[in-house]
Amino acid sequence: MRPTRPGLVALATAALLLFAHTATADDDPFAGARAAMVRAVALDAERTAEWIGKTALAPRVMEAMGRVPRHLFVPPELQDFGYLNRPLPIGYGQTISQPYIVALMTDLLAPEPDDVAFELGTGSSYQAAVLAELVAEVYTVEIVEPLAAGATDRLDALGYDNVTVRAGDGYFGWPEHAPFDIVVVTAAASHVPPPLIAQLKPGGRMVIPVGSPFLTQQLLLIEKREDGAITSRQILPVIFVPLTGGH
Ligand code: SAH
């Protein structure tokens, strides 16, 4: 048998690894992590089937989750954790929600391509970006000014030109752009803000965590029927940062 030449073998292996990396990474070193996050979300949907009434979320929603680069919505020092299926701090005491919760809320909102959506609580603007992949327009309000400014810059840089961010108290909605097909509240509210019900279109859907701040809230799916009647369904217990503001 011929003696092996470790140096050459090592070199060949290194070249192969380099090739494999460039071949699979497709210019996005986070592509693999993002795909793993989508699998983790799918697993959570299966595990919570009894609450959410289905074993899988809408394929369109899962595809959007697979497209939005979540690592660019977290602080730079947390980028490597950007695809963990968990919430992360984004500064100012606020968080980017857990991917499974973002996916679930988006699924419950049943987004359609022509829909106009309102979000209370822009935060990192990740939820807004996921919605922007699926609807015509997203209007989102954030009460912490630097977060609103950061979200505007981020969405511009990523080319999300169908999202408009405003700094202010989202409790009052955005009357100039109402009525909305979709309303999503991403901060824990003690009650459903009446202005948001008023700004929901007949046939529209709202998802909102309602309950005590700092404790567990119930995620509610509220629907306004064509005749204006309101229905509400509890989906599952969640924990969100509190709704603030002087309303
Ligand atoms: N949707 C966000 C989650 C942000 S956490 C994301 O995808 O990252 C909730 C956000 O709601 C926080 O940034 C908080 O500052 C904001 N918020 C709380 N009360 C608010 C209010 N009254 N009006 C607008 N934003 C509010």
Side-chain angles (χ1 to χ4, degrees):
M1 222 173 113
R2 269 191 328 151
T4 52
R5 287 192 281 176
L8 262 188
V9 172
L11 197 67
T13 310
L16 200 68
L17 279 178
L18 197 68
F19 177 73
H21 179 74
T22 46
T24 55
D26 193 20
D27 284 345
D28 181 356
F30 289 92
R34 190 158 52 248
M37 179 198 82
V38 173
R39 288 195 296 276
V41 168
L43 200 62
D44 269 1
E46 268 178 50
R47 286 180 179 144
T48 52
E50 271 185 52
W51 276 286
I52 67 175
K54 52 187 147 191
T55 54
L57 305 181
R60 283 184 78 224
V61 172
M62 296 301 275
E63 284 157 21
M65 296 296 293
R67 283 196 299 271
V68 180
R70 190 172 188 260
H71 67 283
L72 299 178
F73 291 76
V74 302
E77 65 276 16
L78 295 180
Q79 271 199 6
D80 285 345
F81 305 106
Y83 292 101
L84 293 182
N85 186 21
R86 49 165 287 179
L88 291 170
I90 55 170
Y92 308 93
Q94 307 305 330
T95 53
I96 177 174
S97 305
Q98 181 188 359
Y100 164 64
I101 294 295
V102 173
L104 173 63
M105 290 171 85
T106 308
D107 175 278
L108 291 168
L109 292 164
E112 293 291 338
D114 291 336
D115 283 353
V116 179
F118 172 79
E119 180 190 34
L120 186 166
T122 317
S124 70
S125 69
Y126 178 68
Q127 170 75 77
V130 171
L131 270 176
E133 296 271 340
L134 299 165
V135 303
E137 291 291 338
V138 180
Y139 296 95
T140 178
V141 178
E142 170 56 53
I143 205 162
V144 178
E145 284 201 16
L147 285 177
T152 303
D153 292 348
R154 177 177 300 115
L155 293 165
D156 279 353
L158 291 172
Y160 283 103
D161 53 11
N162 60 340
V163 185
T164 313
V165 183
R166 183 165 69 77
D169 190 341
Y171 183 92
F172 303 102
W174 200 327
E176 294 81 357
H177 297 291
F180 301 107
D181 304 279
I182 283 175
V183 170
V184 59
V185 177
T186 65
S190 63
H191 61 274
V192 182
L196 301 188
I197 292 280
Q199 290 172 33
L200 194 60
K201 219 182 248 183
R205 291 83 58 201
M206 181 190 312
V207 171
I208 175 171
V210 176
S212 321
F214 304 112
L215 294 173
T216 311
Q217 303 95 41
Q218 283 292 334
L219 194 63
L220 301 188
L221 171 61
I222 294 171
E223 295 181 77
K224 188 182 263 187
R225 291 204 316 236
E226 293 295 343
D227 65 1
I230 303 294
T231 64
S232 166
R233 185 154 67 91
Q234 282 192 13
I235 306 297
L236 90 170
V238 288
I239 300 181
F240 276 80
V241 295
L243 186 85
T244 61
H247 46 263

